[in-house]
Every structure is written in C-alpha cells, then in structure tokens.
Amino acid sequence: MSSRSIHERLVALEKQMQAAAEAMDFERATALRNEIARIRGEAPVQEGDADTVTVSQPPPGAMGLGTQVPVRQPPKGWVKPKKPDLMTKNVKPRGGR
C-alpha cells in the first residue's frame, strides 16, 4: 500500500469512527479506533512480540525525569555487544624507550 492510500484509508476510518460515536454505536467506534491504531502502528502488541513496549507506573518514591519512559525489549536472539577494553584498545606502543 502506498502512503497516499494509507492516508485515505485512515481519513475514511476516522470519519466512520466519528459517525459511529455520534450514533452512539460505541462498540463499532472502538473497533474502528483499534483499526486506526493498528494501521498507524500504535496498536497494543501481542505478548511475546519483539517490539513490545512496557509502560508502567513508577514504584513509590521513584519520581523524577525518566521514570515513566517506555522500556523497549530487545528482539529474540539479540545479544548485547561486548564492551571494548578501554585500557588496551587503540593504544599505540611507545617507541624508543
């Protein structure tokens, strides 16, 4: 799908959602809202997905910047790269002594 057709689909779904909400058909409006979120990539993901984002309330007493930042889980099979040894990496040997 091209970005233009996706945009047109989103506009049509938003109009349908608005009409359903005005008609008090909230179940349909909710289903349309979820479809819009899925197309935009904002839909809740299934448990076990590689792109799971977890947002939760901070524990009591944990206030400040960054305490409610979403935590991204790495994809399955991803291994954290080994840290370089700063004492020996890129060190030129001393010459002449």
Side-chain angles (χ1 to χ4, degrees):
M1 267 184 141
S2 69
S3 60
R4 182 178 190 146
S5 63
I6 291 172
H7 177 71
E8 290 171 356
R9 174 91 172 124
L10 286 172
V11 169
L13 286 173
E14 287 173 355
K15 287 181 183 177
Q16 291 175 12
M17 181 182 68
Q18 186 67 27
E22 288 173 1
M24 295 196 182
D25 186 3
F26 298 116
E27 291 177 3
R28 175 138 172 81
T30 301
L32 290 167
R33 181 201 61 201
N34 293 343
E35 178 68 15
I36 291 168
R38 187 190 63 76
I39 292 173
R40 288 182 178 162
E42 301 168 353
V45 291
Q46 300 298 324
E47 188 68 31
D49 268 353
D51 294 332
T52 302
V53 176
T54 306
V55 178
S56 61
Q57 291 291 330
M63 293 176 55
L65 296 175
T67 56
Q68 294 178 325
V69 175
V71 178
R72 289 194 92 28
Q73 300 297 325
K76 288 183 181 178
W78 182 81
V79 179
K80 188 173 182 177
K82 195 171 99 176
K83 272 185 141 178
D85 184 5
L86 298 178
M87 297 300 288
T88 59
K89 191 74 173 170
N90 295 327
V91 176
K92 296 179 184 176
R94 295 183 186 193
R97 287 191 189 178

